[in-house]
């Protein structure tokens, strides 16, 4: 396999992993449901996106790459809808967001 | 690296299983169970059993979670909200002890096991040419041991019957679930894709992991999703048509078995026809199994009014 | 193969483990559920990495299919949770704890 | 199947079939039921006649049917079987007539007569059983068929009596079964044979055989009411009078006693039993029972209870006769099997008449009853005198043979016991007779059901049977030397036992 | 294998599956007739199979044309055919009973789902009795258990659902345990075919086979409600509608026992000695404990259900006594058949009594002797079988069992059989005594269809007649499969 | 659903488009194999039918160019959003100023609003909570950021997707 592709792939994978890490840390550190939903819908999805991209570049056929890439929008749609549903439910139940002014923990 | 991965995976599996059992909070238990299902899917993948990983992913992610979460809603209205009776410490210890002994026993048994003297996989390989398919799992499931599968389908149908038998008398009509635009859009986009994927899995079963059960699970999940989005009414009672759908796959399978029986032996396919017959059976099973799996959700759902 | 797939899969698994802490802690039921949802997402990643981490070709593609199915169905549990399981009563109960 | 095979089966069917049909009859079809009952009884009697003639002419009747490999149901009408069959067939006829009169107008008669017929069927089976398996089958069937009769009245007292009856008999049955299966496991299937079948086993089995003998006798002793297994008999008195008659004279206690006869003579063989030292303990038990039963009877005010304890005592005469080594004792025991039946059934019929007609249940209420009911009291007196052993009655014959047998066997203590018992018999029967005939009539009877009109003191269906059996008591006593008498038949059996059994 | 016009083995499985599906499609009204017709056909098939066995010896059917160990083999030997005959004849009677029963009690959930569930149950039973493959046995076991659980649950009330849930949990745990055992065996020997495994295990035992045997036995013991796993049975069997209770008590619990016996005689034969005494001991405790509970029960159906616990104990007594002379095996089979007939008779009779008195308590029975004498007679006759009194199938079983015990000098087991019989008499006569009491003036009885009474009576008479004719059964039983 | 296809010829275009889309998806799923077209045909018909039933063709149709514009906008914003959250999460001290606010939507009701809500959920700093009337309730991680601006930009990108049929 082409070294360049391998390097590219590795880089993409590492970036993806970093996003995952961030997502997890966010999940643990963020103060309330709403904020945690942010990490889920953004960091983790991005992490997955990069990983998929990293794997897709080293796929041995175009179709395989397409199949990998197909997964990402599916996950995106799912997580957007789920986070919307959960946020909406939380709002309906009157769970107020924890509001800070910029540097609260 | 693999060793660390596997050890970690097993540890997490055990831990999530234990949490799921030991927690006094029902929702927590269900969440842990869903986690357990996903980890199980990973474990099957690691064990080189992608067929089961596929089934576990479809069932665990799509159906079991939804069913359990829906059941929580019902149990909330009848039982103490979100709590389980505390298990006495003594019983816990006993369970732990038994499990440990069993685990040690299993380890010893496996460690001292001689190599099997019968090599079934090689026999399967030797007979693949007559099986009508090229994927060994499918050959075993629908040809060599198709009889097991026939009975298993009966078990699934029976599970639904059992559920119907328990379900108390239901209202004549179900209250309409309001359509949520965001959710509905997701369903409208995803469901055709799910159908496509289900067909793909059915097709794939012939030569690689996939098949009727996995396809049916995906279809059933599509049904659940449509229902949750308000696009599909809950089923009030199994009417004539639905009953036909629920049992069609089984009846087809059984009829073929009976026809083949008059020709010789139960489920002995003529090698020329084997591939086509298996595909036919699998298609029927996909339909019925998906209705059965979806029925587990749709026939129970919407009875007590959506919160 | 970059050789990174295996370690990265392990890394993601560790992430999952960390997320379980959130599931254990709560405080709302949704927080617990988030961990499960994270599992859906991360699981897809792990499966894809595993598909590349070793083994022969048919196995690889099979795991891609598993990931695909997982992705397709990822929404169902989350939606079921929001629509069905998470009601007022539990929340009250939880807050009174 | 030849006629000789069919006949024993037909004999069983003659009461079984009417019984089953009666079960299905509605309560209201009285005449059909009566007809069936009488038909069954007469048919049975006729068949018995045929068999008696045949056996005397040297024919052998047998029927066998495999139930399991190595286990057969065997029926055979040999001389000993016919002794018992004849007794039960004759007495059944009387009892049937009596029961029809006794139960007139009471509820659940179909059920009653159904079980009644079943009970006689079982008794016939017990008599004709050709091996221990068959014997046990009918023996337990007898228990089951009598239970509904005992509890027939459905009162709490009846239930209590029934439960006690059942407890004793089922435990007895269990002991018997253990003994039988044990014996089977040692010698396999073997039919009752003169001279016994177990003597082929070597001396190393002696201990086992003794235990088995104990189990068998204990099992049979319950029904034969051997002390200390007799407790159920006085309690079962709650049953209607025809049932008591059946229990005491025709079926239950007789089945026990008859079983002991079979065990001693045709399973162990009397010689072998003597060899194993089994006979003396049996004789001692019988003697104790004889004395104890008579002694207890003395103190019973309840008429039926007094009769019941009398039965306890009298049935052991049979056992004693069997246990006396030697043909004379055997003849005494066997003949008493018949004589006791006729005498005791007379007494119970009469006791039933007193209760049914006048509501008399106690000895103390019997003052002057002889004048109100002279015929019944006459029959009662004949039965009672027979029990005491007065000359010219059946009782005298059996007692004479028993005493001679005891003397011949050198058991003087048994002779003494028989004399003491006879004295006790007199002590508890004579006061009754004196009261009945001599004491003045009371102003009112306890509960008068049936009014006397003209010379008939009570319903003729109740009157004929005791008169018939009472005459029989006299006839078998007077014509004991005739060729057809029970005594002659007992001699016929004893001859075979001691001739063929001799090595 | 000779060619036959029709091979009864697979048809015995296909037929019930077919009518199960058809009754599901058609609904209960037409379903009942269909089911009865199907059951009639099955009985004929079973008789045909028995005839084939008697003339040609044990029969084999390789499903899919694949021989073991690759495929699944169905084997009919004497033991399985005896059980098949029992199953078909009892279920046919119960189906006739159920039709009239549900017509009387109304078309609730129980009536609607009874037919398809029974169809699947019966297919499972037949498949189980014919299977010669450990994994296939697991599937059939699932089919049977799930159908049984659903039948209990269909009873409707809260108590029934709770009982069904307990039953389900025990059943699932038991299946799981069994399956782990099968997996272990497959892992070690590479096959799940009984015929293939038997010589392999004979040749070499490994720790795994011990563990597997233990696990499988544990699972099957739980399914057959052997003490101390009996706790689920009385509420489940005592709470279900009468035809269901009869079906479960007479047949379903026997399925697991049959498997224990089958495995003990084949795959686990080299290990059987070790566990036999334990099985016997548990059976003994079951007899005592079940009888004791039956003696204390205040409700009729509970009493009969506890009697099932006790009677199942008898079945397990045969394990310490299994010997080449075959007496214990004969005793066990005879007991299984006799109890199957008698318990079906007893539950159907109790069903009539409950319908007639309108309640399920023992106290309510006073006076039924005059009201439904035929039913009471049926109850008494089935009681005779349970007590092991002659002339009944139960008696022959008891006789054979005592004989087997005494021949081997095992006095304790013989004594236990005797004591168990006496205890059975105690609880059976508890009911009869109550029934013979005079009814209080206030009691009113409901009329009951005669057909219900006759079915109960017929079953009871069958259990008695078996005691007069055990020859054919023993002859059939002697036909073994020689692979 | 089949009826829709035949009766309303104006929709043939969208039917064709969807057929092409599903066929392409099938081809991707089978990884370019060519031996599955029989099954593929059936699958495409089935999923097409489902899609037509669930989402009947409307007069509005997509613009390919608009889609591309939106997609690129989305990708860039998404990466930005991911980074932003990642940095927020990984920073030693959390710097959050979360708030929930209702903002007016200018897009027409229907699909467009759903896409808006979902896109905002996936984009930095915002999380859609509910659509009610013409208002969109958003949860915002940092209220000091220019939310309104971002909302309008997104709306504009989304608006590109559709074009009115002549």
């Amino acid at each position: 396999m082409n070294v360049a592709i391998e390097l590219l792939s590795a880089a993409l994978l590492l970036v993806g992993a970093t996003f995952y890490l961030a997502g997890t840390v966010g999940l643990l550190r963020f103060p309330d449901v709403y904020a945690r939903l942010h990490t889920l819908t953004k960091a983790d999805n991005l992490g997955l996106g990069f990983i998929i991209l990293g794997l897709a570049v080293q796929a041995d056929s175009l179709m395989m790459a397409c199949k990998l890439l197909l997964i990402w929008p599916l996950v995106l749609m799912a997580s957007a809808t789920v986070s919307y549903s959960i946020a909406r439910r939380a709002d309906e139940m009157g769970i107020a967001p924890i509001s800070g002014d910029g540097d609260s923990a | 690296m693999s060793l660390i991965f596997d050890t970690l995976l097993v540890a997490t599996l055990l831990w999530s299983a234990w949490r799921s059992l030991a927690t006094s909070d029902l929702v927590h238990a269900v969440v842990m169970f869903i986690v357990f299902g996903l980890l199980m899917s990973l474990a099957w993948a690691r064990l080189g059993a992608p067929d089961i990983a596929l089934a576990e992913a479809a069932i665990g992610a799509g159906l079991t979670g939804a069913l359990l979460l829906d059941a929580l809603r019902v149990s909330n209205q009848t039982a103490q909200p979100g709590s389980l009776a505390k298990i006495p410490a003594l019983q816990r210890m006993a369970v732990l002890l038994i499990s440990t002994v069993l685990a040690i026993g299993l380890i010893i048994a496996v460690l001292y096991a001689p190599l099997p003297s019968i090599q079934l996989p090689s026999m399967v390989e030797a007979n693949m040419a007559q099986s009508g398919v090229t994927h060994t799992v499918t050959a075993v499931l629908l040809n060599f041991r198709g009889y097991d599968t026939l009975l298993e389908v009966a078990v699934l149908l029976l599970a639904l019957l059992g559920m119907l038998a328990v379900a108390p008398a239901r209202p004549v009509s179900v209250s309409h679930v309001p359509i949520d635009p965001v959710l509905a859009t997701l369903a409208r986009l995803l469901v055709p894709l799910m159908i496509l994927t289900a067909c793909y899995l059915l097709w794939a079963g012939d030569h690689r992991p996939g098949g009727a059960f996995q396809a049916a699970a995906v279809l059933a999940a599509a049904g659940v999703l449509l229902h949750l989005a308000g696009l599909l009414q809950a089923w009030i009672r199994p009417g004539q048509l639905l009953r036909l759908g629920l049992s069609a796959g089984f009846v087809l399978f059984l009829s073929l078995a009976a026809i083949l029986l008059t020709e010789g032996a139960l489920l002995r396919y003529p090698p020329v026809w084997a591939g086509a017959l298996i595909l036919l059976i699998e298609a029927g099973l996909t339909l019925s199994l998906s209705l059965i799996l979806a029925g587990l959700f749709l026939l129970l759902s919407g009875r007590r009014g959506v919160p | 193969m970059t050789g990174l797939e295996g370690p990265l899969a392990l890394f993601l698994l560790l992430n999952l483990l960390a997320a379980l802490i959130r599931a254990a802690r709560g405080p709302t039921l949704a927080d617990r559920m988030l961990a499960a949802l994270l599992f859906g997402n991360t699981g897809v990643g792990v499966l894809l990495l595993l598909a590349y981490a070793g083994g022969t070709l048919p196995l690889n593609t099979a795991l891609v299919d598993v990931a695909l199915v997982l992705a397709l169905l990822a929404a169902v549990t989350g939606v079921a949770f929001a629509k069905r399981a998470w009601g007022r009563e539990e929340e009250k109960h939880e807050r009174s704890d | 199947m030849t006629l000789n095979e069919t006949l024993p089966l037909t004999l069983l069917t003659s009461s079984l079939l009417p019984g089953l049909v009666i079960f299905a009859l509605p309560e209201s079809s009285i005449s059909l039921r009566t007809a069936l009952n009488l038909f069954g009884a007469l048919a049975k009697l006729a068949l018995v006649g045929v068999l008696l003639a045949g056996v005397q002419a040297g024919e052998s009747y047998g029927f066998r049917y495999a139930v399991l490999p190595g286990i057969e149901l065997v029926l055979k009408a040999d001389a000993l079987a016919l002794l018992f069959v004849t007794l039960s067939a004759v007495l059944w006829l009387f009892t049937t007539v009596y029961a029809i009169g006794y139960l007139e107008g009471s509820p659940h008669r179909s059920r009653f007569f159904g079980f009644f017929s079943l009970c006689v069927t079982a008794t016939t089976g017990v008599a004709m059983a050709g091996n221990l398996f068959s014997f046990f089958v009918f023996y337990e069937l007898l228990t089951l068929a009598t239970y509904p009769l005992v509890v027939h009245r459905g009162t709490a007292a009846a239930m209590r009596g029934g439960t006690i009856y059942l407890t004793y008999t089922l435990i007895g049955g269990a002991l018997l079964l253990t003994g039988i299966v044990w014996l089977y496991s040692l010698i396999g299937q073997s039919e009752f044979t003169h001279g016994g079948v177990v003597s082929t086993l070597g001396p190393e089995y002696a201990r086992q055989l003794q235990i088995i003998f104990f189990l068998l006798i204990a099992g049979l002793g319950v029904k034969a009411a051997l002390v200390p297994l007799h407790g159920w008999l006085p309690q079962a008195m709650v049953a209607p009078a025809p049932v008591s008659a059946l229990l005491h004279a025709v079926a239950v206690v007789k089945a026990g006693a008859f079983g002991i006869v079979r065990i001693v003579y045709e399973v162990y063989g009397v010689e072998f039993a003597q060899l194993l030292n089994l006979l003396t303990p049996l004789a001692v038990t019988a003697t104790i029972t004889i004395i104890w039963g008579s002694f207890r009877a003395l103190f019973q005010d309840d008429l039926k209870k007094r009769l019941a304890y009398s039965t306890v005592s009298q049935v052991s005469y049979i056992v004693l006769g069997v246990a006396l080594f030697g043909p004379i004792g055997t003849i005494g025991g066997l003949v008493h099997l018949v004589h006791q039946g006729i005498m005791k059934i007379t007494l119970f019929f009469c006791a039933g008449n007193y209760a049914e007609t006048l509501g008399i249940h106690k000895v103390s209420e019997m003052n002057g009853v002889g004048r109100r009911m002279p015929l019944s009291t006459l029959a009662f007196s004949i039965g009672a005198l027979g029990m005491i052993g007065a000359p010219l009655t059946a009782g005298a014959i059996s007692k004479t043979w028993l005493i001679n047998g005891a003397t011949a066997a050198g058991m003087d203590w048994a002779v003494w016991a028989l004399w003491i018992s006879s004295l006790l018999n007199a002590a508890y029967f004579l006061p009754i007779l004196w009261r009945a005939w001599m004491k003045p009539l009371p102003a009112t009877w306890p509960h008068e059901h049936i009014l006397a009109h003209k010379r008939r003191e009570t319903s003729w269906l109740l009157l004929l049977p005791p008169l018939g059996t009472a005459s029989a008591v006299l006839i078998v006593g007077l014509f004991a030397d005739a060729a057809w008498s029970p005594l002659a038949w007992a001699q016929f059996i004893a001859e075979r036992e001691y001739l063929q059994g001799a090595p | 294998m000779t060619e036959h016009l029709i091979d009864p083995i697979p048809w015995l499985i296909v037929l019930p599956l077919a009518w199960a599906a058809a009754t599901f499609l058609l609904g209960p009204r037409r379903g009942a007739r269909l089911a009865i017709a199907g059951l009639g056909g099955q009985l004929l098939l079973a008789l045909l199979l028995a005839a084939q066995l008697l003339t040609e010896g044990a029969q084999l059917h390789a499903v899919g044309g694949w021989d073991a160990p690759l495929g699944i083999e169905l084997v009919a030997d004497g033991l399985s055919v005896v059980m098949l005959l029992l199953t078909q004849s009892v279920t046919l009677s119960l189906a006739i009973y159920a039709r009239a029963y549900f017509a009387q009690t109304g078309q609730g959930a129980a009536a609607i789902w009874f037919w398809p569930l029974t169809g699947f149950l019966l297919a499972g039973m037949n498949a189980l009795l014919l299977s010669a493959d450990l994994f296939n046995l697991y599937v059939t076991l699932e089919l049977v258990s799930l159908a049984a659980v659903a039948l209990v649950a269909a009873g409707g009330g809260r108590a029934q659902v709770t009982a069904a849930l307990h039953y389900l949990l025990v059943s699932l745990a038991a299946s799981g345990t069994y399956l782990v055992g099968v997996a272990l065996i497959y892992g070690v020997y590479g096959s799940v075919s009984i015929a293939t495994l038997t010589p392999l295990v004979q040749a070499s035992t490994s720790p795994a086979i011990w563990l597997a045997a233990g696990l499988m036995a544990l699972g099957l013991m739980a399914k057959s409600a052997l003490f101390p796993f009996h706790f689920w049975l009385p509420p489940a069997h005592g709470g279900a509608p009468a035809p269901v209770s009869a079906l479960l008590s007479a047949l379903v619990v026997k399925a697991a026992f049959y498997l224990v016996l089958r495995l003990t005689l084949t795959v686990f034969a080299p290990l059987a000695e070790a566990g036999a005494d334990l099985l016997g001991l548990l059976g003994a405790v079951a007899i005592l404990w079940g009888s004791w509970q039956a003696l204390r029960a205040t409700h009729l159906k509970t009493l009969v259900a506890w009697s099932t616990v006790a009677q199942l104990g008898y079945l397990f007594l045969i394990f310490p006594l299994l010997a080449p002379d075959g007496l214990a095996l004969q005793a066990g089979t005879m007991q299984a058949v006799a109890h199957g007939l008698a318990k079906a008779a007893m539950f159907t009779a109790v069903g009539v009594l409950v319908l007639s008195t309108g309640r399920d308590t023992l106290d309510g029975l006073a006076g039924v002797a005059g009201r439904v004498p035929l039913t009471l007679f049926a109850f008494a006759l089935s009681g005779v079988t349970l007590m092991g009194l002659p002339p009944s199938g139960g008696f022959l079983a008891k006789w054979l069992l005592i004989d087997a015990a005494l021949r081997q000098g095992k006095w304790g087991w013989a004594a236990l059989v005797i004591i168990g019989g006496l205890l059975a008499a105690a609880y059976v006569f508890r009911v009869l005594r109550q029934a013979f009491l005079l009814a209080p003036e206030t009691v009113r009885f409901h009329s009951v269809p005669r057909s219900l009474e006759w079915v109960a009576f017929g079953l009871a008479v069958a259990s008695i007649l078996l005691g007069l004719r055990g020859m054919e059964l023993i002859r059939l039983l002697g036909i073994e499969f020689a692979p | 659903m089949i009826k829709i296809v035949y009766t309303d010829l104006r929709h043939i275009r969208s039917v064709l488009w969807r057929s092409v889309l599903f066929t392409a998806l099938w081809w991707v799923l089978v990884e370019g194999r060519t031996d599955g077209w029989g099954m593929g045909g059936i699958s495409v018909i089935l999923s097409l039918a489902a899609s037509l039933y669930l989402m009947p063709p409307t007069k509005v149709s997509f613009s390919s160019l608009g889609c591309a514009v939106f997609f690129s906008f989305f990708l860039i914003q998404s990466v930005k959003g991911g980074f932003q959250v990642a940095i927020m999460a990984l920073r030693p001290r959390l710097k959050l100023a979360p708030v929930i606010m209702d903002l007016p939507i200018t897009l027409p009701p229907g699909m467009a609003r759903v896409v808006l809500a979902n896109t905002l959920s996936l984009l930095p700093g915002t999380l859609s909570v509910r659509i009610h009337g013409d208002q969109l309730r958003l949860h915002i991680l940092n209220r000091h950021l220019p939310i309104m601006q971002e909302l309008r930009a997104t709306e504009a990108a989304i608006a590109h997707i559709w074009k009115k049929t002549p």
Side-chain angles (χ1 to χ4, degrees), chain D residues 136 140 177, chain E residues 383-390 392-396 398 421 424:
Chain D
F136 184 75
E140 291 291 80
L177 177 66
Chain E
V384 167
T385 305
L386 296 191
M387 293 179 243
L389 290 184
S392 71
F395 168 62
L396 292 189
K398 209 158 101 173

Side-chain angles (χ1 to χ4, degrees), chain D residues 168-445:
Chain D
Y168 273 86
T169 48
L170 286 180
I171 292 177
L175 294 176
L176 184 61
L177 177 66
T178 316
I180 293 176
V181 181
W182 194 344
L183 210 53
Y184 264 65
S185 73
L186 293 181
I187 58 169
Q189 167 166 276
S190 50
E191 289 183 24
F192 296 138
T193 314
H194 299 292
V197 288
V198 298
S199 52
T200 51
L201 288 173
E204 69 272 23
Y205 288 99
R207 172 62 60 184
Q208 284 195 48
L209 286 174
Q210 280 168 339
I211 300 174
I212 292 172
F213 188 80
F214 170 78
L215 284 171
L216 294 176
I217 297 299
L220 295 165
V222 168
K223 277 213 173 89
L226 284 180
V227 171
L229 307 171
H230 65 291
W232 61 273
L233 194 56
Q235 297 295 327
M237 287 297 85
V238 291
V243 176
S244 300
L246 210 61
L247 292 180
H248 288 250
V250 186
V252 177
V253 291
K254 282 298 156 60
F258 182 78
I260 293 176
V261 173
R262 285 278 198 208
I263 298 288
V264 173
Y265 290 137
E266 303 194 348
V267 175
Y268 276 72
V270 71
E271 315 248 352
F272 191 66
Q274 178 76 340
L275 210 68
L276 287 174
N277 295 322
L278 295 171
L279 291 184
T280 313
L282 184 60
V284 170
T285 313
T287 312
I288 292 171
T289 308
I290 290 169
I291 306 285
W292 176 250
S294 303
F295 181 71
R296 285 301 302 270
L298 271 180
F299 305 101
Q300 305 300 323
D301 187 30
D302 188 304
L303 179 59
K304 286 176 84 178
K305 273 204 172 161
R306 188 173 289 197
L307 294 179
Y309 276 109
S310 155
T311 305
V312 171
S313 156
Q314 295 276 338
V315 169
S316 274
Y317 281 39
I318 306 168
V319 181
L320 182 61
V322 171
L324 293 174
F325 182 70
I328 305 173
T330 305
I331 294 167
L334 290 179
V335 81
H336 196 61
L337 188 84
V338 178
H339 290 172
Q340 188 269 349
I342 309 172
M343 295 185 294
K344 189 43 67 66
I345 205 164
T346 312
L347 292 172
F348 270 107
F349 283 159
C350 296
N353 282 358
Y354 295 141
E356 193 64 1
T357 311
L358 302 174
I360 290 173
H361 293 283
K362 296 193 167 148
V363 175
S364 52
E365 292 164 348
M366 285 179 70
N367 292 353
V369 75
R371 288 177 223 174
R372 168 67 174 78
M373 301 178 69
L375 292 177
S376 298
T377 313
L378 179 65
F380 188 89
S381 306
I382 294 172
L385 290 172
M387 282 294 178
I388 299 167
L392 305 182
T393 62
I397 307 291
S398 21
K399 282 199 181 172
T400 314
W401 281 88
L402 281 171
I403 289 171
N404 290 346
T407 318
M411 295 184 183
D412 291 336
W413 48 270
V415 177
W416 281 108
L418 285 167
W419 278 114
I420 291 169
S421 166
S422 290
L423 284 177
L424 287 169
N425 288 348
Y428 61 76
F429 271 128
L430 289 179
I432 301 179
L433 299 188
W434 187 71
R435 262 177 200 275
W437 293 115
M438 302 303 171
K439 288 236 174 162
L441 283 162
T444 54
W445 300 102

Side-chain angles (χ1 to χ4, degrees), chain D residues 69-71 180-189 208, chain E residues 321 323 325-328 399-411 414:
Chain D
I71 295 179
I180 293 176
V181 181
W182 194 344
L183 210 53
Y184 264 65
S185 73
L186 293 181
I187 58 169
Q189 167 166 276
Q208 284 195 48
Chain E
L321 304 174
D325 61 11
L327 277 178
W399 178 288
L400 288 167
L401 202 54
I402 299 173
D403 199 6
L406 291 180
R407 269 169 212 263
Q408 295 174 38
K410 295 180 174 169
W411 309 104

Side-chain angles (χ1 to χ4, degrees), chain D residues 95 98-99 103 112 116 146 148-152 236 239-249 304:
Chain D
T95 317
Y98 185 79
L103 288 172
F112 181 88
F116 196 69
T146 40
L149 298 177
V150 172
V151 301
H152 182 74
V243 176
S244 300
L246 210 61
L247 292 180
H248 288 250
K304 286 176 84 178

Side-chain angles (χ1 to χ4, degrees), chain B residues 99-113, chain E residues 184 207-208 211:
Chain B
S99 314
T100 317
V101 169
L102 183 60
I104 292 171
L106 281 172
I107 290 167
I108 292 173
V110 170
L111 281 183
Y112 287 89
Chain E
L184 263 178
L211 187 61

Side-chain angles (χ1 to χ4, degrees), chain B residues 1-244:
Chain B
M1 190 58 72
S2 308
L3 187 66
I4 303 174
F5 184 89
D6 292 345
T7 316
L8 206 59
L9 184 59
V10 168
T12 321
L13 259 178
L14 285 174
W15 189 71
S16 60
W18 176 246
R19 289 299 303 163
S20 175
L21 286 174
T23 180
S24 62
D25 181 282
L26 269 177
V27 179
H28 192 188
V30 169
V31 166
M32 278 330 236
F33 186 74
I34 295 170
V35 167
F36 176 80
L38 289 164
L39 288 170
M40 225 29 231
S41 177
L42 292 183
W44 290 122
R46 278 296 301 157
L47 285 167
D51 288 270
I52 310 176
L54 201 52
E56 180 68 52
I59 292 289
L63 286 167
T64 320
L67 257 178
L68 288 174
L69 290 167
D70 189 51
L72 279 180
R73 174 184 59 100
V74 178
S75 73
N76 273 330
Q77 289 163 356
T78 51
Q80 181 73 14
S83 74
L84 283 172
K86 202 87 176 146
I87 306 163
L90 197 69
Q91 278 184 27
R92 273 176 203 242
M93 290 314 292
V95 169
L96 207 61
L97 190 73
I98 293 170
S99 314
T100 317
V101 169
L102 183 60
I104 292 171
L106 281 172
I107 290 167
I108 292 173
V110 170
L111 281 183
Y112 287 89
L115 268 180
S117 40
I118 306 251
Q119 289 300 331
L120 223 42
S122 60
M123 288 189 204
V124 171
E125 286 302 335
N127 286 290
M128 277 308 284
Q130 277 94 56
S131 72
V133 291
T134 54
H135 182 47
T136 49
V137 173
T138 309
V140 170
L141 278 184
L142 281 145
N143 198 335
F144 304 136
R145 296 185 72 97
Y147 170 59
D148 274 342
T149 309
L150 176 68
L151 294 183
E152 282 291 5
V153 176
V155 169
L156 275 172
L157 192 55
L158 200 51
L160 185 84
L161 285 183
M163 192 206 77
L164 286 171
V166 181
R170 42 194 49 251
V172 185
S173 69
V174 215
S175 59
H176 191 79
V177 184
I179 297 181
D180 179 327
V182 176
L183 201 47
T185 308
L186 176 79
R188 287 181 170 125
L189 288 172
L190 274 189
V191 167
L193 267 179
M194 284 169 149
I195 293 174
L196 195 72
T197 312
C199 291
Y200 160 71
L201 288 173
L202 177 59
W203 169 83
D206 165 70
H207 58 276
R208 54 188 281 182
F213 189 74
Q214 289 84 344
V218 172
L219 280 185
V224 172
L225 187 62
L226 281 176
H227 174 63
L228 288 173
L231 296 173
L232 181 65
Q233 288 287 300
W235 297 341
I236 296 168
R237 66 172 62 81
Q240 192 74 52
L241 196 64
L242 183 54
R243 284 204 299 248
L244 193 64

